[in-house]
Amino acid sequence: MHPFRKAVEAQDHAAVEAMLAEDVVFTSPVAFRPYPGKAITAAILRGVMRVFTDFRYVREIASADGRDHALVFVAKVGDKEINGCDFLHFDEEGRIDDFTVMVRPLSAAQALSAAMGAQFDRITAEALAAPGGADRSRTAD
């Protein structure tokens, strides 16, 4: 089991954040532009952990060199079941420098968008309060 998966399933926010590169780029399934930087990415991931219930990874797929991972998950957002995949790329130091999430079906993606939208003031405040966060966070699309 990949250490990132272990940290997420344990809801160990500090361990998840420690695996992020300072220059990580997070691509959301519900926002048009990516979010650059560790502070905003960590805050988004904490928000997602608050929004998802019954979250579990059901499959891991890794590249031969170990620098790319796909982690397939299922969860609920409200009463909607969501299926998704976290696509992770790791830099030379073993930290996540590219994090892309895709989800389905559309009704669950819409529920996720609404739930995360309701969290975004808190997410932005958390990102701004983090070391280096003031210059890296931005508002939602």
Side-chain angles (χ1 to χ4, degrees):
M1 181 182 302
H2 193 275
F4 180 81
R5 176 180 178 173
K6 284 183 185 178
V8 170
E9 289 179 343
Q11 295 191 10
D12 185 342
H13 303 289
V16 168
E17 187 169 347
M19 290 182 220
L20 300 174
E22 289 297 325
D23 62 347
V24 63
V25 175
F26 180 81
T27 304
S28 166
V30 297
F32 178 71
R33 292 180 304 176
Y35 294 91
K38 183 175 183 173
I40 190 67
T41 299
I44 290 168
L45 294 176
R46 285 190 300 272
V48 169
M49 289 182 185
R50 291 188 295 265
V51 165
F52 280 162
T53 58
D54 299 329
F55 179 90
R56 67 189 181 286
Y57 285 115
V58 296
R59 185 177 318 143
E60 288 185 43
I61 305 163
S63 65
D65 67 2
R67 292 191 60 193
D68 290 286
H69 275 71
L71 299 169
V72 181
F73 65 84
V74 295
K76 285 193 170 185
V77 179
D79 64 348
K80 302 284 184 191
E81 185 168 304
I82 194 164
N83 305 96
C85 191
D86 293 337
F87 295 97
L88 311 175
H89 180 268
F90 295 84
D91 65 16
E92 295 80 22
E93 288 82 41
R95 289 196 172 77
I96 300 166
D97 62 0
D98 187 64
F99 193 130
T100 299
V101 181
M102 294 188 182
V103 297
R104 64 161 303 282
L106 178 59
S107 60
Q110 291 168 328
L112 177 61
S113 180
M116 290 300 291
Q119 292 273 322
F120 220 80
D121 286 344
R122 180 175 176 181
I123 289 168
T124 302
E126 289 177 7
L128 290 171
D135 60 333
R136 298 203 172 175
S137 64
R138 63 172 179 77
T139 57
D141 304 296

